[in-house]
Amino acid sequence: MRLRLLMLGLMLLAAPAARADLVFVLNSGDATVSVLDAATRQEVRRIPALREPHHLVLTPDGRQLVIADSGGNELLFVDPLSGEVRRRERISNPYHLEFSPDGKYLTVASLRRDQVDIYDATTLTLLQRFRPGDMPSHVAYSPDSRQVFVTLQGSRALAAFDLETRTHLWTVEVGREPAGVTWHRGRLIVGVMGEDHFVSVNPETREVTRAFNLGRGAHTIFPSPDGRALYATSRVDSRLAEVDPDTLQIRRVWNIPGGPDCLTFDPEGRIWMTLRWVGRVAILDPREAEWSLMRVGRSPHGIFFKPRRDGVGGDFPQRMSGAVSGSRPLPAPLTPSLPGPVTPASTR
């Protein structure tokens, strides 16, 4: 018996320690990236940027996290397993960026320089530059990778581009200061940040209809990896809403002070969100009414959860909001929505 206990102890000592999951947070006001241990909720690394990182996306193979430093005119290629910077590439004012679903293209929206740039995803060769209007903001693709859509904050519009012919197809007005855009079941959902609602746009007819009201600063919307819901943020009224993916009706709302902005999800279904105005990240379990906070840098914006533990499917990161940000159709829900707090009447 003693020998068996001794052998067991030696095996436990020899077993490799489980690697903690990581969370990457872009501190746009500090020109840094916080790398957080998701289990201890402590910062384990602080990556310096040049000036102002805002958004990030995984490469199509999932091996590198691409961080866009818009003010520094630079892309940082980071190992998502270690947080180590592999290389840096000069690029013109990358604010928001997405890889096409087929992995061929990288589209970059340049908020300050009024550019929409189409790059070869492998070589970063500039293939086409468009100047469609004022303040290109957020990017989403059609699932077949034939078209890409970009909101134009200063022009009150959504623009569409054909990636095969590399032409500007159309522009349609959607409301004051449109921000996040997501492809969802044949339509595009756009947050109208200068107002209080989200709109739905038919890319074939260009018809624009109001989808749902959320509150001032209606910003962007993220599909959960499991297909149960869409989650929308309101930065000014500081709200997070769970939205039914079939009806686009709000199921419930959490009032979270600090300006919820970008979201990411962990394998347990918790939502990690940056609070833009208070230098914090909030972690919310949708089954609960409460959330916890942790400090990061100033003006946190983009966020991405990277599982490193055993037992999590290898494709989980590719289904995350920071990986594709609504560039693919939402899958059918796996289970009914979980119960939660009652939605205030003012936001129904």
Side-chain angles (χ1 to χ4, degrees):
M1 176 65 71
R2 290 182 178 178
L3 180 60
R4 290 177 62 187
L5 291 174
L6 178 61
M7 292 297 293
L8 179 60
L10 290 173
M11 290 173 63
L12 290 174
L13 289 173
R19 293 189 299 176
D21 299 333
L22 296 180
V23 183
F24 294 82
V25 180
L26 308 192
N27 304 311
S28 61
D30 283 341
T32 62
V33 179
S34 292
V35 184
L36 313 176
D37 182 313
T40 65
R41 300 187 181 179
Q42 298 294 316
E43 184 173 290
V44 295
R45 182 190 294 265
R46 182 71 70 102
I47 302 171
L50 289 178
R51 187 173 176 184
E52 198 176 10
H54 282 284
H55 293 282
L56 70 172
V57 68
L58 272 179
T59 54
D61 60 10
R63 295 180 179 178
Q64 298 183 87
L65 193 60
V66 185
I67 295 171
D69 183 344
S70 63
N73 297 305
E74 186 175 71
L75 297 181
L76 287 73
F77 289 77
V78 175
D79 184 339
L81 292 172
S82 67
E84 296 179 1
V85 178
R86 296 304 188 192
R87 74 182 200 273
R88 297 171 182 255
E89 298 283 350
R90 298 291 294 170
I91 198 167
S92 179
N93 188 220
Y95 177 70
H96 193 265
L97 72 172
E98 296 285 0
F99 288 100
S100 59
D102 62 10
K104 292 182 180 179
Y105 302 104
L106 173 67
T107 298
V108 173
S110 171
L111 193 70
R112 290 194 180 100
R113 295 183 179 172
D114 298 339
Q115 302 166 178
V116 174
D117 290 339
I118 312 298
Y119 292 89
D120 181 285
T122 302
T123 65
L124 290 185
T125 301
L126 180 62
L127 302 175
Q128 186 69 47
R129 171 165 291 165
F130 298 100
R131 297 189 182 275
D134 189 22
M135 300 177 66
S137 181
H138 287 63
V139 177
Y141 293 90
S142 61
D144 60 9
S145 299
R146 294 185 61 181
Q147 295 182 16
V148 66
F149 307 89
V150 180
T151 51
L152 306 175
Q153 280 190 27
S155 298
R156 305 171 55 99
L158 176 70
F161 307 89
D162 188 299
L163 289 171
E164 293 184 347
T165 62
R166 297 177 195 165
T167 55
H168 181 177
L169 294 175
W170 48 260
T171 298
V172 63
E173 184 168 331
V174 293
R176 185 158 54 95
E177 294 182 52
V181 55
T182 298
W183 178 278
H184 178 62
R185 301 184 183 181
R187 299 180 71 89
L188 293 145
I189 304 174
V190 178
V192 186
M193 188 170 59
E195 301 179 37
D196 62 357
H197 61 275
F198 287 72
V199 298
S200 175
V201 181
N202 185 323
E204 299 298 327
T205 65
R206 305 175 209 175
E207 178 188 17
V208 179
T209 57
R210 185 175 294 226
F212 57 90
N213 293 352
L214 181 55
R216 293 172 300 162
H219 189 61
T220 193
I221 188 165
F222 296 82
S224 64
D226 60 13
R228 292 174 178 170
L230 302 167
Y231 288 93
T233 61
S234 160
R235 291 201 309 195
V236 177
D237 282 340
S238 287
R239 292 171 178 162
L240 173 71
E242 180 190 286
V243 179
D244 187 295
D246 294 317
T247 65
L248 297 185
Q249 296 296 307
I250 291 180
R251 291 171 174 164
R252 49 187 174 161
V253 170
W254 295 267
N255 293 298
I256 302 178
D261 199 312
C262 290
L263 313 179
T264 191
F265 303 85
D266 66 24
E268 286 71 41
R270 289 183 291 258
I271 304 168
W272 297 62
M273 71 197 81
T274 50
L275 302 181
R276 194 73 182 276
W277 317 132
V278 294
R280 301 289 192 279
V281 166
I283 304 103
L284 168 73
D285 187 329
R287 295 165 293 190
E288 306 291 339
E290 301 297 325
W291 56 88
S292 58
L293 300 176
M294 61 181 300
R295 183 185 295 274
V296 288
R298 289 187 300 124
S299 192
H301 201 170
I303 185 169
F304 184 74
F305 190 101
K306 172 59 179 177
R308 301 195 303 173
R309 75 188 95 156
D310 294 334
V312 178
D315 68 336
F316 182 82
Q318 276 80 357
R319 293 184 278 127
M320 297 290 287
S321 298
V324 291
S325 191
S327 61
R328 79 285 186 263
L330 192 70
L334 302 178
T335 61
S337 175
L338 299 170
V342 176
T343 301
S346 61
T347 61
R348 287 176 182 165

